[in-house]
Amino acid sequence: MARKTFLDWPVLRQLRGADPTGRGTAVTSARTRSTAPRTAQADGVTESICPYCAVGCSQRIFHQDGRVIQIEGNPSSPVSRGRLCPKGAASEQLANSYLRQTKVRYRRPYGTEWEDLDLEVAMDMIADRFIQARRDHWEDEDEHGHPLRRTMGIASLGGATIDNEENYLIKKFFTAAGAIQMENQARI
Amino acid sequence: MQDFANADLIVIEGSNMAEAHPVAFQWVIEARKRGARVIHVDPRFTRTSANADRHIPIRTGTDIVLLGGVIRHVLENELYFKEYVQAYTNASTLISEEYGDPEDLDGLFSGYDPETGTYDDSTWAYAGDPEQIARGLPERDETLQHPRTVFQILRRHYARYTPQMVQDTCGISPEDFEYLATSIAENSGRERTTMFAYALGWTQHQGGAQMIRTSGILQLLMGNVGRPGGGIMALRGHATIQGSTDIPTLYHILPGYLPMPKAGQDDFAEYTRGIGKKEQKGFWANADVYAINLLKAWWGEHASAENDWGFHNLPRLTGAHGTYQTLMRMLEGDVDGYFLFGQNPAVGSANGRMQRLGLSNLKWMVVRDFYMIESATFWKDGPEVESGELSPEQIGTEMFFLPAANHTEKAGSFTQTQRMVQWRDKAVEPPGDARSDLEFMYDLGRRVLAKLADSTDPRDRPLLDLTWDYPVDEHGDPDAEAVLAEINGRHIAGEKAGQPLASFGEMKDDGTTIGGCWIYSGVYADGVNRARKRTPGQEQDETAADWGWAWPANRRILYNRASADPEGRPWSERKKWVWWDEESGTWTGKDVPDFPATKRPDDPGDPSKGGAAALAGTDAFIMQADGRGWLFAPTGMVDGPMPTHYESPESNIRNPLYAQQSNPTRVTFRDEDNLSSPGAMGAGGEVYPYVFTTYRITEHHTAGGMSRFLPYLSELQPEMYCEVSPELAEEIGLEPYGWATIISARNAIEAKVLVTERMTPLRVGERTVHQIGLPFHWGRGSEAVVQGDGANDLIGMNLDANTQIQNSKNNSCTIIPGRRPRGAGRAELVEAYRRRAGLIPELHPQVDGADGAPGAGPVTEGTPHPMRGPEEASAVPTGEPSMKEMRNR
């Protein structure tokens, strides 16, 4: 840091410079001047939409080294005009909270603790259980002989914070499988 | 959203918009800056009230009386918008001679069957020749004088909804009522418009759908539908809760609001005719086309005219299969596997205890989330484990927790509350094992298909024939745009083969086009992802048509033909939106016209053709079978063609209007954990003398899965609390910032006490009604940053018969100072109060605790979880056959 001189006294800076009211550059410290917003170092900015309520505020996602480093409101949006509420403004933590889970966890029936499980193995186990439950609770027809071709052994709930494309695939596959008990926050 | 700024009056009722939708509220503030008036009707004074011209506190659940009172006011004083009402609504339509009104039947409409608790709606039908009615041409009396016109029926129906009745029911003074009614009357008509905004404060009632209908009737009478600054804004609560209704993960509908077929609906033509008849007016006449395109999208070459496009592949419903019906089946041990896609029912669904017991009774469960939510950990740290009632060693549910990718880690679209689809780009890769739900579902589907590949079982045919092939990236994540393209649809034959559909108008009934969701057709027109349109707002006019894409066809205001007068001229310069341009022979304006583009205002319509061709030039309501806005709904509602007031299931007030106390079609489940207070219908009702209502706060989201795990938000709102008035605090002896225990017939929870004048005790008849506010974001587990008792543990499963949504906003409780007991003491406390109220299941076989309530009698013994009430969630506004003969499950 450069040595302070008489002219660096804040009151003199204020009188000399372009900040006569002393609310801007005249009162910043050398340390403040040396800082830059972390968004300045971002590798890129991606346009997105806030995942909380249904207003649909636009977000700018700043990322660096494959991690989200900051999320801000997008002034271009005609809906939100750059604003975010406390939840939207906190959504960087949604990605980076220390409580974020990144590994598959498994709890066996009557188990007392979580265990590790390989993702591939987990997916295969779920597929097996899906097929089994589907068969075990299959209903071909009702008591009048009307076709039902459905299974009552599988149900799902969610999600109103997942994508249209995701809901579409869930609806499509579950329906083809005959699993009618599909529900969503939209009925809660 | 921006359209709020065009309103002259905004009535926010059943919503705390400033805190639940803060960023959208800037448009309400904008409207106020332009001179608009804002009125907030809500049990609580909130930041929304603080920014309104007036806050009108209301007794929760009485909105139909308040707005019915306004309907009476505008009818009796001739303040409604006459030209609009005559041209665009069904006011002049004659109703069947057999129709009987609750005014004559002491609270019931004609057609009620007390055995089943359901209505046969045939007596609510339009009068006239059935063939003409089918063509949308019922008998009418344009003078509105005939006693059987909708107009006169409406008048009689609301005649007793006087200011005095409003005061005696809602606890609202005649002065406040006058202010509301006059404000609406003065801010409607050619020059001015009123907008309503609501949220779960209407939806989450038994009878909630009818509350919204009341506002719809009023807005039609005042000519505020289809016009700028008008309409009813549903403020929905989740990023794509609109999208997940349009492209539903709901049991009762298929994409685009096509109903799921029911048992016995085996004829495809009959099924589509039940949705929309070819000869009826408007765009539901093409229901068969939409259904064919969906089936063709799903079953590709295996769907053909010869096999009814694979219609037999669809599973059939036999009643309601909603989330609460499914829970009851879990408790009976009939559900093996459960998938949660970003949901936390252990905290967020009504009757938390039963929810957790249901989860404990599964064979296996897949939780896809970012964090260890309470629905993933109930088996080790749920309240029932804390109390000693259950232990992990007793819970057999096999748990798979699969970490999910968040909104920055995948591309895809959300549909926001005003039907606008917006695309998100992917910023980063998901960490570790985290994957998108798109990848999860696609991968699971491929694994299941691979395992079944050699199956010859006909049950597996619909899976094996399913189109299930999407391009993936190097990580195996499917291309979301390819899925959006399928939703949009494309030509598969002819010279345009391979090209995306430009709109649903291009859909064919001959198998040459496919489309997964007809109302979204056009979002991918010309192969351009229009949800990704991002022309900055600053570079556009107020409609901002080049930001995102709103279904259908990028229209921002629905039914906007009504923004012009019958001759096609704007009602006023000030409220110009869409109008007829004689020179070009088309509709034009500031929005995409919601009307056949070249149909002249004086076109009489061609009844011989049906569909869009049958619409007259003044039939602004193009989705209705008669082209009119429905003041009276002959079909589509299971509990009456017009809203009428009933008390909530646990109300301590006798219905001031009818002997019929609560909604006769109410849906409930008999279970010792789902008892209701008898309310005014039994002596024990006074054991639960207070009303509690639940709500959202700014810093948290739903069941806390996306907020209580974030340090910032947890720090801002760390603790569960209850809001009570100074008068109630005094009555009970509650200390500010101390603890209180709230006890309902279902459970007991504890909360910090917030004594505040924001809660107003209301004088209703001889009684002072105290209402308690409870945010619903907290739950008990061990993983979240902050925890607390869950308000939903107090709420019973009493459902609206139209929507199967629970009554969260109006339940009874008592409140005592101090914390609740730990361990088994909690259940003992709940039981002690139940006994005092006479709620002893074995002694009281009544259906829902409402001793003496008219309606269905005691249920038969022997069935563990009988349900009463209709089992239908209606989907489309026209002619859907009823399911009332069908069983629950």
Side-chain angles (χ1 to χ4, degrees):
Chain A
M1 194 186 291
R3 203 183 155 78
K4 274 195 180 137
T5 71
F6 171 74
L7 288 174
D8 286 333
W9 278 17
V11 68
L12 291 182
R13 288 209 313 249
Q14 185 177 335
L15 294 173
R16 279 192 303 135
D19 181 24
T21 60
R23 292 184 295 186
T25 52
V27 290
T28 55
S29 66
R31 184 171 165 191
T32 301
R33 284 195 296 278
S34 71
T35 59
R38 63 175 169 273
T39 52
Q41 275 103 51
D43 298 335
V45 188
T46 304
E47 291 196 38
S48 189
I49 300 297
C50 181
Y52 287 96
C53 86
V55 172
C57 301
S58 179
Q59 294 187 330
R60 305 181 77 203
I61 315 279
F62 295 83
H63 51 92
Q64 188 178 4
D65 302 327
R67 280 187 76 236
V68 172
I69 56 165
Q70 173 73 352
I71 294 181
E72 294 183 354
N74 181 0
S76 295
S77 165
V79 175
S80 55
R81 298 193 290 191
R83 293 156 170 97
L84 291 175
C85 78
K87 292 191 285 285
S91 56
E92 172 270 328
Q93 268 191 354
L94 191 68
N96 296 326
S97 169
Y98 68 95
L99 292 171
R100 179 88 191 266
Q101 302 292 320
T102 58
K103 291 282 162 223
V104 173
R105 307 294 280 156
Y106 174 72
R107 182 255 178 181
R108 64 186 67 239
Y110 309 105
T112 55
E113 291 302 329
W114 288 111
E115 301 170 33
D116 290 331
L117 187 66
D118 178 70
L119 176 61
E120 287 294 312
V121 176
M123 289 301 296
D124 223 45
M125 289 169 75
I126 295 167
D128 285 337
R129 280 152 186 72
F130 187 95
I131 291 168
Q132 183 76 38
R134 178 172 177 264
R135 286 209 175 122
D136 288 351
H137 295 269
W138 187 263
E139 297 178 353
D140 277 318
E141 53 187 34
D142 69 6
E143 68 271 28
H144 308 295
H146 297 304
L148 295 174
R149 72 148 318 275
R150 69 184 187 187
T151 179
M152 300 299 279
I154 302 167
S156 77
L157 183 61
T161 53
I162 70 176
D163 300 344
N164 287 320
E165 296 74 21
E166 296 176 326
N167 271 320
Y168 181 77
L169 286 200
I170 297 168
K171 182 75 181 181
K172 182 176 176 180
F173 193 82
F174 273 58
T175 304
I180 57 169
Q181 298 168 115
M182 233 176 303
E183 281 284 85
N184 190 285
Q185 177 69 33
R187 206 192 303 285
I188 296 170
Chain B
M1 281 301 160
Q2 304 92 295
D3 192 40
F4 270 101
N6 292 322
D8 300 293
L9 170 68
I10 300 169
V11 181
I12 303 173
E13 187 168 340
S15 151
N16 173 14
M17 187 178 176
E19 294 179 59
H21 301 87
V23 179
F25 198 71
Q26 67 180 295
W27 296 105
V28 176
I29 299 293
E30 195 78 40
R32 280 194 91 196
K33 281 190 191 158
R34 295 188 196 175
R37 180 177 284 184
V38 177
I39 300 174
H40 186 219
V41 182
D42 200 277
R44 296 188 304 135
F45 183 95
T46 62
R47 286 178 178 83
T48 306
S49 326
N51 286 292
D53 292 276
R54 187 174 296 202
H55 169 237
I56 301 178
I58 184 173
R59 179 167 72 94
T60 177
T62 63
D63 304 63
I64 289 174
V65 177
L66 177 64
L67 296 183
V70 180
I71 290 172
R72 177 189 167 277
H73 177 83
V74 301
L75 290 176
E76 295 310 311
N77 297 297
E78 309 237 332
L79 298 169
Y80 58 95
F81 191 167
K82 293 191 185 64
E83 291 145 287
Y84 185 103
V85 166
Q86 279 196 307
Y88 300 147
T89 75
N90 67 355
S92 61
T93 303
L94 267 57
I95 299 301
S96 157
E97 279 177 37
E98 285 153 54
Y99 169 71
D101 192 89
E103 287 297 294
D104 307 317
L105 301 172
D106 215 3
L108 294 169
F109 291 93
S110 51
Y112 185 67
D113 177 358
E115 287 290 306
T116 57
T118 59
Y119 280 107
D120 170 357
D121 64 9
S122 60
T123 60
W124 313 343
Y126 284 171
D129 170 41
E131 246 176 64
Q132 288 292 92
I133 294 172
R135 294 183 187 282
L137 297 168
E139 274 182 48
R140 292 197 173 116
D141 171 21
E142 301 298 342
T143 70
L144 309 184
Q145 294 309 308
H146 193 291
R148 282 193 288 114
T149 54
V150 163
F151 187 80
Q152 295 298 337
I153 290 173
L154 204 59
R155 193 169 216 158
R156 292 194 297 274
H157 181 73
Y158 290 109
R160 288 195 299 137
Y161 290 57
T162 60
Q164 184 64 45
M165 185 63 79
V166 170
Q167 182 166 30
D168 292 345
T169 312
C170 314
I172 291 173
S173 70
E175 198 275 323
D176 273 347
F177 173 76
E178 171 75 21
Y179 179 80
L180 174 71
T182 305
S183 297
I184 292 170
E186 288 177 357
N187 288 291
S188 303
R190 284 180 178 270
E191 297 285 341
R192 304 180 78 79
T193 51
T194 292
M195 183 184 283
F196 269 80
Y198 78 95
L200 281 296
W202 274 353
T203 317
Q204 287 179 336
H205 285 276
Q206 209 166 68
Q210 293 283 14
M211 288 181 188
I212 302 159
R213 276 273 301 143
T214 320
S215 159
I217 291 170
L218 182 58
Q219 287 293 66
L220 283 171
L221 286 173
M222 301 314 292
N224 286 323
V225 180
R227 302 179 62 204
I232 304 171
M233 189 71 78
L235 295 165
R236 308 200 67 181
H238 307 261
T240 198
I241 196 152
Q242 182 60 50
S244 46
T245 320
D246 306 332
I247 298 171
T249 34
L250 292 166
Y251 77 86
H252 72 296
I253 42 176
L254 292 161
Y257 300 94
L258 299 168
M260 279 287 286
K262 291 148 201 146
Q265 281 187 324
D266 299 322
D267 184 296
F268 180 62
E270 229 167 78
Y271 160 78
T272 62
R273 220 179 135 67
I275 310 167
K277 303 178 180 70
K278 285 320 265 186
E279 68 271 26
Q280 79 181 44
K281 288 184 179 185
F283 287 89
W284 275 117
N286 295 328
D288 55 343
V289 181
Y290 313 143
I292 290 168
N293 277 267
L294 169 66
L295 295 168
K296 196 73 192 150
W298 286 7
W299 282 291
E301 57 182 351
H302 304 286
S304 63
E306 291 69 47
N307 70 3
D308 279 342
W309 313 101
F311 178 61
H312 59 277
N313 285 342
L314 293 171
R316 263 49 176 180
L317 307 183
T318 45
H321 309 282
T323 188
Y324 295 106
Q325 283 88 3
T326 299
L327 171 65
M328 299 312 287
R329 296 190 67 258
M330 287 179 191
L331 289 164
E332 289 162 20
D334 290 338
V335 181
D336 286 359
Y338 197 33
F339 291 85
L340 293 181
F341 296 97
Q343 283 274 152
N344 194 7
V347 177
S349 290
N351 206 327
R353 178 184 149 77
M354 288 180 75
Q355 297 289 337
R356 294 182 294 268
L357 294 178
L359 300 182
S360 305
N361 224 18
L362 295 163
K363 282 209 171 86
W364 52 269
M365 184 171 162
V366 177
V367 179
R368 294 193 37 80
D369 220 292
F370 311 138
Y371 310 111
M372 275 294 173
I373 54 170
E374 289 77 6
S375 299
T377 62
F378 65 94
W379 53 271
K380 65 189 296 200
D381 57 19
E384 288 70 30
V385 175
E386 186 274 337
S387 72
E389 183 180 353
L390 286 176
S391 70
E393 292 84 353
Q394 296 170 294
I395 298 173
T397 310
E398 183 182 32
M399 302 290 299
F400 296 88
F401 180 91
L402 301 186
N406 70 27
H407 74 298
T408 67
E409 295 158 358
K410 61 187 183 185
S413 68
F414 287 152
T415 306
Q416 55 83 276
T417 193
Q418 222 187 336
R419 298 171 284 100
M420 181 166 66
V421 191
Q422 300 186 99
W423 191 261
R424 298 183 332 274
D425 293 334
K426 179 174 178 173
V428 295
E429 289 299 329
D433 290 341
R435 303 163 114 195
S436 67
D437 292 298
L438 201 68
E439 182 175 353
F440 167 77
M441 193 64 244
Y442 187 47
D443 184 19
L444 178 65
R446 284 204 299 189
R447 285 171 198 264
V448 169
L449 294 179
K451 287 173 192 284
L452 297 178
D454 300 327
S455 167
T456 53
D457 188 337
R459 295 168 178 178
D460 297 333
R461 220 50 256 167
L463 273 176
L464 295 170
D465 290 348
L466 192 67
T467 58
W468 200 253
D469 189 21
Y470 300 97
V472 297
D473 69 9
E474 68 271 26
H475 305 285
D477 200 8
D479 180 3
E481 268 201 10
V483 179
L484 184 70
E486 178 177 320
I487 293 169
N488 177 87
R490 61 178 172 270
H491 297 271
I492 56 168
E495 59 189 49
K496 287 188 179 170
Q499 287 180 28
L501 299 179
S503 74
F504 64 80
E506 287 193 1
M507 285 183 165
K508 298 282 189 298
D509 65 358
D510 58 2
T512 59
T513 59
I514 66 140
C517 181
W518 69 278
I519 54 177
Y520 278 55
S521 196
V523 67
Y524 205 69
D526 305 319
V528 175
N529 182 349
R530 282 148 206 268
R532 201 170 175 274
K533 279 195 159 184
R534 293 183 187 136
T535 306
Q538 297 85 343
E539 296 167 23
Q540 299 193 60
D541 63 16
E542 59 166 340
T543 314
D546 278 326
W547 182 278
W549 183 88
W551 69 260
N554 206 21
R555 288 176 185 118
R556 304 295 164 134
I557 295 182
L558 288 180
Y559 298 129
N560 60 31
R561 159 70 182 88
S563 69
D565 69 10
E567 286 74 42
R569 304 165 302 203
W571 287 108
S572 64
E573 192 55 31
R574 198 165 169 266
K575 293 290 169 180
K576 227 172 148 168
W577 191 253
V578 161
W579 57 90
W580 174 255
D581 181 46
E582 189 63 50
E583 213 163 287
S584 61
T586 58
W587 291 91
T588 183
K590 303 180 186 180
D591 195 356
V592 178
D594 197 7
F595 204 66
T598 58
K599 185 181 281 285
R600 300 178 54 84
D602 55 8
D603 186 323
D606 184 350
S608 72
K609 291 209 168 107
L615 290 167
T618 53
D619 284 335
F621 290 84
I622 59 170
M623 297 310 292
Q624 301 296 89
D626 57 351
R628 305 287 181 113
W630 283 5
L631 298 166
F632 182 103
T635 61
M637 302 295 283
V638 301
D639 57 348
M642 286 179 301
T644 208
H645 174 72
Y646 303 108
E647 289 291 320
S648 77
E650 297 193 302
S651 171
N652 278 311
I653 308 269
R654 282 293 275 133
N655 188 346
L657 279 151
Y658 311 108
Q660 178 66 34
Q661 171 72 358
S662 56
N663 193 312
T665 65
R666 64 195 184 276
V667 178
T668 189
F669 304 88
R670 186 172 175 230
D671 188 282
E672 62 177 15
D673 282 322
N674 194 46
L675 297 169
S676 291
S677 160
M681 304 307 287
E686 291 307 321
V687 172
Y688 307 99
Y690 309 117
V691 178
F692 70 93
T693 188
T694 62
Y695 56 87
R696 171 183 288 194
I697 60 180
T698 309
E699 296 81 2
H700 281 296
H701 188 62
T702 311
M706 287 166 67
S707 63
R708 283 185 294 103
F709 293 79
L710 278 59
Y712 288 157
L713 296 173
S714 299
E715 187 178 350
L716 287 170
Q717 288 286 1
E719 283 187 295
M720 172 64 185
Y721 59 89
C722 60
E723 282 188 66
V724 295
S725 67
E727 293 84 350
L728 180 59
E730 173 78 28
E731 190 174 311
I732 303 293
L734 298 172
E735 290 295 322
Y737 313 111
W739 289 94
T741 294
I742 303 120
I743 308 159
S744 78
R746 276 75 54 185
N747 215 331
I749 66 164
E750 63 183 20
K752 281 296 199 57
V753 176
L754 178 61
V755 179
T756 170
E757 290 171 7
R758 300 191 303 228
M759 301 306 291
T760 314
L762 295 173
R763 196 74 196 156
V764 177
E766 293 304 298
R767 193 185 175 94
T768 299
V769 175
H770 290 288
Q771 306 189 96
I772 298 167
L774 296 175
F776 52 58
H777 304 293
W778 283 270
R780 288 283 173 199
S782 57
E783 302 276 339
V785 180
V786 292
Q787 311 196 26
D789 280 2
N792 281 312
D793 282 16
L794 295 178
I795 295 172
M797 297 187 289
N798 288 307
L799 315 183
D800 179 87
N802 286 291
T803 60
Q804 305 286 338
I805 290 174
Q806 76 285 341
N807 178 62
S808 302
K809 293 293 183 260
N810 186 358
N811 289 283
S812 293
C813 68
T814 192
I815 183 166
I816 55 176
R819 306 191 72 160
R820 65 166 168 81
R822 266 46 200 170
R826 184 184 192 175
E828 286 161 13
L829 178 71
V830 175
E831 178 64 17
Y833 276 84
R834 280 184 193 160
R835 288 194 169 267
R836 238 182 274 174
L839 291 174
I840 304 156
E842 59 273 24
L843 299 183
H844 285 257
Q846 70 274 11
V847 172
D848 55 5
D851 263 323
V859 291
T860 353
E861 295 302 322
T863 40
H865 297 296
M867 189 192 91
R868 68 176 298 278
E871 296 147 4
E872 184 156 11
S874 52
V876 289
T878 50
E880 193 189 350
S882 171
M883 281 197 296
K884 58 179 162 274
E885 291 85 15
M886 298 177 177
R887 286 182 309 112
N888 177 22
R889 43 189 181 264

